[in-house]
């Protein structure tokens, strides 16, 4: 799933590549992708792209005051082409969920792999009309995201810190991968309870959050969409690296599996050397 750094890179790429261009076509390839019905897709045709912004994991294209907003979800991606095929996509016949054509012949496809169709697009008058944007927490790289604000957020949450970091209504843009990375840098158990953290630990976690995301954004910056997935994987310290060597201490990277996801961590760095058992059959480490 693309998270804040990759979504920011995609937004930056689209902003640079679409400047001065207008939409000449919108094609729907999946009946589930479009979550709004008014304005219709044709409302975008002829509109200039006036700007591209990121809200958490959402990308917003301002098309002459009408906004195309999309969220790539777990298996979605953006595929750019300098010269789009002239073939009109047919619903249900390809992994392409939505295609946007621009007036210089370029454009992009939103694609989704797998059978669970969660990629979502919205055509709205304002980004705040998208439910997921309206309920977003603060952006962890925003100027307003200060350590006192972060401490106040944690103090009010008696929940595992891994889940708090991933909760989009609490903090926007962090998902499974970067929460693993942040906790590894902060040397914290993913099962620690947020409200129980002492001030020194909160300071360490705040610094790890800002530093990890800032570095990831810098690493993704300027890369075309086609290279972002590989760049993300290459930059991971523990996430997705079960069985590999921890780059910090040399211990093995371990995994805890859940019904539809997993987390990775280093026991030496994060849990005092004690491996975590499955959350369904063990007590949480604090």
């Amino acid at each position: 799933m693309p998270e804040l750094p990759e979504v920011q890179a995609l937004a930056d790429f689209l902003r640079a590549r679409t400047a001065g261009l207008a939409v000449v076509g919108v094609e729907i390839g999946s009946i589930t992708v479009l979550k709004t019905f008014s304005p219709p897709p044709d409302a975008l045709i002829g509109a200039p792209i006036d700007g591209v912004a990121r809200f958490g994991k959402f990308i917003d294209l301002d098309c002459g005051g009408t906004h195309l907003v999309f969220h790539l979800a777990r298996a979605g991606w953006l595929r750019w082409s300098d010269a789009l095929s002239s073939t009109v996509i047919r619903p249900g016949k390809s992994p392409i969920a939505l295609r946007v054509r621009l007036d210089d012949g370029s454009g992009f496809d939103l694609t989704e792999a797998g059978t669970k169709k969660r990629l979502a697009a919205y055509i709205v008058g304002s980004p705040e009309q998208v439910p997921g944007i309206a309920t977003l927490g603060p952006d962890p790289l925003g100027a307003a995201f200060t350590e006192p604000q972060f401490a106040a957020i944690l103090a009010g949450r008696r929940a595992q810190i891994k889940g708090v970091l991933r909760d989009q209504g609490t903090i926007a843009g962090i998902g499974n991968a970067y929460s693993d990375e942040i906790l590894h840098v902060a040397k914290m158990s993913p099962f620690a309870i947020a409200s129980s953290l002492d001030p020194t630990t909160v300071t360490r976690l705040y610094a790890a959050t800002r530093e990890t995301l800032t570095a990831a954004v810098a690493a993704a910056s300027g890369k075309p969409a086609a290279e972002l997935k590989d760049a993300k994987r290459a930059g991971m310290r523990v996430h997705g690296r079960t069985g590999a060597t921890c780059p910090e201490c040399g211990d093995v990277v371990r995994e805890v599996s859940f019904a539809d996801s997993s987390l990775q961590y280093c026991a030496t760095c994060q849990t005092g050397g004690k491996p975590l058992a499955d959350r369904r059959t063990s007590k949480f480490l604090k």
Side-chain angles (χ1 to χ4, degrees):
M1 176 189 290
E3 300 177 30
L4 186 157
E6 297 78 45
V7 176
Q8 184 65 57
L10 287 173
D12 293 343
F13 172 82
L14 285 174
R15 185 182 305 110
R17 190 59 185 80
T18 61
L21 301 180
V23 178
V24 295
V26 179
E27 299 164 20
I28 305 298
S30 168
I31 61 173
T32 64
V33 67
L34 192 60
K35 307 303 181 183
T36 53
F37 61 89
S38 180
D42 286 353
L44 299 173
I45 296 177
I49 298 182
D50 294 329
V52 181
R54 177 186 63 80
F55 297 90
K57 300 178 189 178
F58 291 85
I59 292 179
D60 166 39
L61 275 69
D62 181 350
C63 304
T66 300
H67 295 255
L68 171 62
V69 180
F70 57 89
H71 188 294
L72 296 171
R74 175 171 292 186
W77 197 245
L78 183 146
R79 186 171 66 195
W80 175 267
S81 176
D82 288 330
L84 273 178
S85 167
S86 60
T87 302
V88 177
I89 60 174
R90 298 173 60 190
K93 300 298 182 180
S94 79
I96 300 172
L98 184 144
R99 171 172 285 175
V100 175
R101 296 181 182 273
L102 303 175
D103 59 359
D104 69 343
S106 67
F108 62 88
D109 294 330
L110 300 183
T111 65
E112 186 168 24
T115 58
K116 294 183 178 180
K117 302 303 180 184
R118 297 176 178 171
L119 190 153
Y122 308 79
I123 300 174
V124 291
S126 167
E128 288 72 22
Q129 292 176 303
V130 176
I133 291 178
T135 58
L136 282 176
D139 192 291
L141 291 184
F145 189 75
T146 62
E147 185 178 331
Q149 182 189 37
F150 184 56
I153 289 171
L154 299 185
R157 297 296 304 274
R158 183 160 181 76
Q160 302 156 31
I161 190 60
K162 167 82 173 176
V164 172
L165 292 175
R166 293 183 61 188
D167 182 354
Q168 299 304 292
T170 301
I171 302 171
I174 302 172
N176 194 34
Y178 286 103
S179 58
D180 281 351
E181 296 297 292
I182 289 166
L183 291 168
H184 181 255
V185 172
K187 300 186 183 302
M188 287 183 57
S189 167
F191 292 162
I193 301 302
S195 61
S196 70
L197 302 180
D198 61 56
T200 299
T201 303
V202 171
T203 295
R204 191 168 73 247
L205 181 58
Y206 175 78
T209 300
R210 299 276 285 200
E211 292 166 8
T212 299
L213 295 176
T214 297
V217 168
S221 178
K223 288 185 171 59
E227 297 179 13
L228 284 172
K229 288 183 180 180
D230 287 341
K232 177 182 179 179
R233 282 191 289 267
M236 294 289 111
R237 298 161 60 96
V238 291
H239 182 78
R241 293 177 56 81
T242 304
T245 300
C246 170
E248 190 71 23
C249 72
D251 194 2
V252 63
V253 174
R254 303 172 192 270
E255 176 177 304
V256 177
S257 297
F258 305 99
D260 60 353
S261 66
S262 63
L263 65 83
Q264 285 79 44
Y265 71 100
C266 170
T268 295
C269 291
Q270 296 175 251
T271 61
K274 181 179 179 181
L276 297 174
D278 189 290
R279 68 184 296 271
R280 292 164 294 189
T281 58
S282 68
K283 294 182 180 180
F284 301 143
L285 292 181
K286 296 184 179 181

